[in-house]
Amino acid sequence: MATLSYKAVEEKLKNLTETATAANLGYKLLSAFGMTDTSVERVRDGKGNLDKDGGILVKKKLAYRHAPSEQLDAILQSMKSDARIAKAEPGIIAVSDGITILAYDPWEDESYAAPISSIYHDYNFFYPISGEARRSKAVMENDADVRAAEKMAKLYDEIRRHNDITTPTDVHNLNIFLTRVLFCYFAEDTGIFDTENVFTDSIRKYTKDDGSDLSTYLDEIFRVMNLNLRIGIPANISQFPYVNGGLFAKQIPIPQLGWKARQILLDCGGQNWAKINPDIFGSMIQAVVTPENRGNLGMHYTSVPNIMKLIQPLFLDDLYAAFYDAQSNEKKLNALLVRIGKIKLFDPACGSGNFLIISYKELRKLEMLIWERIREITGQAVLPFVSSQLTQFYGIELDDFAHETALLALWLTEHQMNNAFQEKFTVQVKALPLRPSGNIVQGNACRVDWNTVCPHTEDEEVYVMGNPPYLGSSMQDAEQKEDMALVFNGIDGYKNLDYIACWFLKGANYIRKTNAQ
């Protein structure tokens, strides 16, 4: 099967209205979702087609038949109960009259009905035609993360279905919208908002069932959360607190939302967002807006154990050694807290922030151990404070949504660690208004000057870490080859190197000019 790009899929599906008929739509769908022209012709000739009655049945991919309009539903129902089709395990079962398509996803037990002209909005529903393996329905990692990500995927698909999201600005605004919604769910379940379930309940109580006023209502909520002064604002809007922190600073157009989007938002609100792990969830949400990653939702991230394998020898082991050395010396323990508060951590390929998030968590855990020890050796209930700040964390990320998600995930992680701090020491760290988040820059790390992203003095403790993308020389696209040429300017033989070499050379130059490790 050809390499599948969601943009290429969407482009092919846009042309269906002009080129598809009831008889050839199934072949068009197979082609759009990665089957080569040669393979499509083989199916058309009956090779690899398990349906010998004029339809299409390709194992693990598609079961398709065409029929008159008045028979579409009846034929789809018969296909769903057909033992021969079930044995072939198609990703999608579909029937069409050339104008309308009815479809069914057996794995998710979901149905679909729309004009053929709308399919390109809903390519995620039809993505199983690609034949890529689905994520096991067994619980993976934290099941709350998986289920919440799947709910957000449905919301994303519904928004794309009814809104023309094509320009980079459109995509960026949608990304901001989704991160704001995610924050509201987390905030209403973790005590950031004073009233539990206030976001979900307000949608239920103050918007119409058909969703016709939902976009306007959400726009008003997002605007008020950037206002510290509240005059003349209705109670159903002013109940939301001042958040700031940059998250709600920019006004963006809210996508059009209908009854189905409203129901999905309510369903999302039914999840327990307090159980979400930002270090994992960020990567899964990134997969939501990258359709080719949907099949393995929850598996596209560097695991916590692997992150620990990197950060322990890089800086954490040394900090713990300093802690054990200072066990009986209050002055040394206080000096270690000061040191922790000055460390800078930099991931030039940060994705949705996994390495930075785990590093932040580990620093906060060590801080709490230090404060516990200070209390033990002084015999006093010393009032602890937080040394580690999100502003100590730096990153570069090419993908717009991953960039937004990393900023949000760091905020969520800070709140979780503040709650742990409060539980241990009964010292409350006020959640709102949000403080500045990590210094995450959107851009190409192979072209950005790292010193402008993570500036420092010679005596500062700076650690560079991460998991940059690996691509062999034959797998690099034109832009990546240009990255290589820019980074390795004047160095012979670079064309045979892997793409990850860009990061190693950039990192070597960065470290050589600093005390960074």
Side-chain angles (χ1 to χ4, degrees):
M1 186 177 72
T3 301
L4 201 54
S5 159
Y6 76 92
K7 292 182 180 178
V9 172
E10 192 173 28
E11 204 55 44
K12 283 191 174 185
L13 294 178
K14 282 183 178 180
N15 298 324
L16 286 181
T17 305
E18 301 174 0
T19 61
T21 64
N24 72 12
L25 178 60
Y27 303 113
K28 296 282 186 181
L29 290 172
L30 288 170
S31 175
F33 286 96
M35 184 175 280
T36 64
D37 292 342
T38 300
S39 296
V40 170
E41 286 307 311
R42 285 174 57 83
V43 174
R44 196 188 297 270
D45 292 339
K47 299 174 183 178
N49 185 358
L50 302 178
D51 190 328
K52 306 304 180 184
D53 299 323
I56 298 172
L57 180 57
V58 180
K59 192 173 183 179
K60 302 287 187 180
K61 294 180 181 290
L62 176 67
Y64 174 82
R65 291 176 186 170
H66 58 88
S69 304
E70 65 275 9
Q71 297 180 20
L72 291 179
D73 186 62
I75 289 179
L76 180 64
Q77 296 307 318
S78 68
M79 292 173 72
K80 288 164 63 175
S81 59
D82 189 318
R84 182 180 53 176
I85 290 176
K87 185 177 180 181
E89 298 180 322
I92 293 294
I93 300 172
V95 61
S96 177
D97 60 0
I99 299 172
T100 300
I101 182 170
L102 304 185
Y104 176 70
D105 182 338
W107 181 272
E108 299 291 348
D109 190 24
E110 288 189 1
S111 299
Y112 176 87
I116 290 174
S117 58
S118 297
I119 291 179
Y120 82 94
H121 287 302
D122 308 313
Y123 57 83
N124 287 316
F125 179 89
F126 291 93
Y127 200 84
I129 294 174
S130 69
E132 294 188 6
R134 305 267 196 147
R135 178 184 65 81
S136 169
K137 288 195 176 184
V139 175
M140 297 172 53
E141 297 295 342
N142 179 6
D143 192 47
D145 295 309
V146 177
R147 286 186 281 106
E150 289 173 338
K151 293 288 186 183
M152 290 302 298
K154 295 181 188 301
L155 177 62
Y156 175 83
D157 293 346
E158 181 63 15
I159 291 172
R160 289 296 300 263
R161 183 176 291 120
H162 298 290
N163 294 267
D164 186 18
I165 310 291
T166 52
T167 70
T169 300
D170 295 334
V171 173
H172 181 66
N173 288 337
L174 176 55
N175 293 343
I176 293 175
F177 173 77
L178 290 173
T179 55
R180 289 177 179 178
V181 169
L182 283 170
F183 172 80
C184 289
Y185 286 133
F186 187 85
E188 70 175 1
D189 280 359
T190 61
I192 296 178
F193 291 163
D194 292 335
T195 306
E196 187 177 355
N197 295 327
V198 62
F199 179 67
T200 304
D201 287 346
S202 69
I203 291 174
R204 182 178 290 109
K205 291 189 333 190
Y206 300 120
T207 65
K208 297 177 181 177
D209 291 345
D210 63 5
S212 59
D213 59 350
L214 180 56
S215 297
T216 300
Y217 184 67
L218 292 179
D219 186 44
E220 292 173 348
I221 288 176
F222 293 164
R223 285 172 187 264
V224 83
M225 281 194 276
N226 195 46
L227 295 177
N228 199 7
L229 184 62
R230 313 294 180 87
I231 299 176
I233 297 175
N236 66 328
I237 303 296
S238 63
Q239 65 179 323
F240 291 92
Y242 173 57
V243 174
N244 197 19
L247 184 58
F248 292 92
K250 180 183 177 183
Q251 289 186 217
I252 59 167
I254 305 299
Q256 290 300 308
L257 305 167
W259 69 270
K260 189 171 182 180
R262 181 179 181 274
Q263 187 56 53
I264 294 172
L265 284 167
L266 294 176
D267 290 344
C268 285
Q271 303 299 308
N272 186 349
W273 293 82
K275 292 184 177 180
I276 298 302
N277 291 322
D279 47 294
I280 295 173
F281 186 65
S283 292
M284 295 204 308
I285 288 297
Q286 189 178 345
V288 164
V289 296
T290 312
E292 56 262 43
N293 288 344
R294 288 282 186 89
N296 291 315
L297 190 64
M299 298 178 70
H300 290 268
Y301 63 94
T302 306
S303 68
V304 175
N306 284 337
I307 292 173
M308 292 298 293
K309 288 176 185 177
L310 186 148
I311 67 174
Q312 283 178 320
L314 182 63
F315 66 88
L316 203 55
D317 287 347
D318 185 58
L319 291 175
Y320 269 91
F323 169 60
Y324 295 130
D325 178 65
Q327 282 278 355
S328 302
N329 190 314
E330 181 186 1
K331 185 177 180 180
K332 284 186 176 181
L333 290 172
N334 282 314
L336 182 56
L337 287 171
V338 172
R339 177 187 172 189
I340 290 172
K342 291 182 177 181
I343 287 174
K344 290 184 176 181
L345 297 111
F346 177 31
D347 183 350
C350 71
S352 53
N354 307 51
F355 279 85
L356 299 176
I357 290 164
I358 298 302
S359 297
Y360 176 76
K361 281 185 173 181
E362 292 302 318
L363 289 184
R364 291 292 303 270
K365 290 176 184 177
L366 178 55
E367 277 186 28
M368 287 189 278
L369 289 176
I370 294 171
W371 282 115
E372 282 184 314
R373 185 57 186 158
I374 289 175
R375 284 187 166 188
E376 288 173 0
I377 63 177
T378 62
Q380 299 176 0
V382 179
L383 190 66
F385 57 85
V386 176
S387 297
S388 302
Q389 304 297 324
L390 295 183
T391 49
Q392 296 170 235
F393 294 80
Y394 299 79
I396 304 173
E397 172 51 39
L398 181 63
D399 181 77
D400 176 63
F401 188 66
H403 164 258
E404 296 291 336
T405 305
L407 291 170
L408 175 65
L410 282 167
W411 267 319
L412 303 188
T413 304
E414 180 186 46
H415 182 64
Q416 287 183 333
M417 296 312 297
N418 286 344
N419 285 347
F421 191 80
Q422 179 180 352
E423 184 177 340
K424 187 173 289 291
F425 300 111
T426 64
V427 175
Q428 183 175 12
V429 182
K430 191 176 180 182
L432 297 177
L434 294 176
R435 290 163 290 281
S437 187
N439 301 285
I440 314 298
V441 173
Q442 185 190 358
N444 184 338
C446 294
R447 307 190 185 197
V448 172
D449 181 355
W450 293 8
N451 289 285
T452 64
V453 177
C454 185
H456 43 76
T457 60
E458 288 186 1
D459 60 340
E460 283 186 310
E461 202 173 341
V462 184
Y463 296 96
V464 183
M465 57 188 171
N467 183 17
Y470 166 87
L471 282 172
S473 57
S474 63
M475 298 291 290
Q476 297 160 19
D477 61 26
E479 185 176 357
Q480 290 158 348
K481 290 182 183 298
E482 187 177 343
D483 289 342
M484 294 286 285
L486 289 170
V487 172
F488 287 95
N489 183 30
I491 300 177
D492 293 334
Y494 75 84
K495 292 183 179 180
N496 296 321
L497 295 174
D498 301 326
Y499 188 59
I500 197 172
C502 285
W503 272 263
F504 283 125
L505 184 57
K506 293 276 286 189
N509 290 333
Y510 179 78
I511 292 170
R512 192 158 42 238
K513 297 173 184 176
T514 71
N515 287 332
Q517 297 189 46

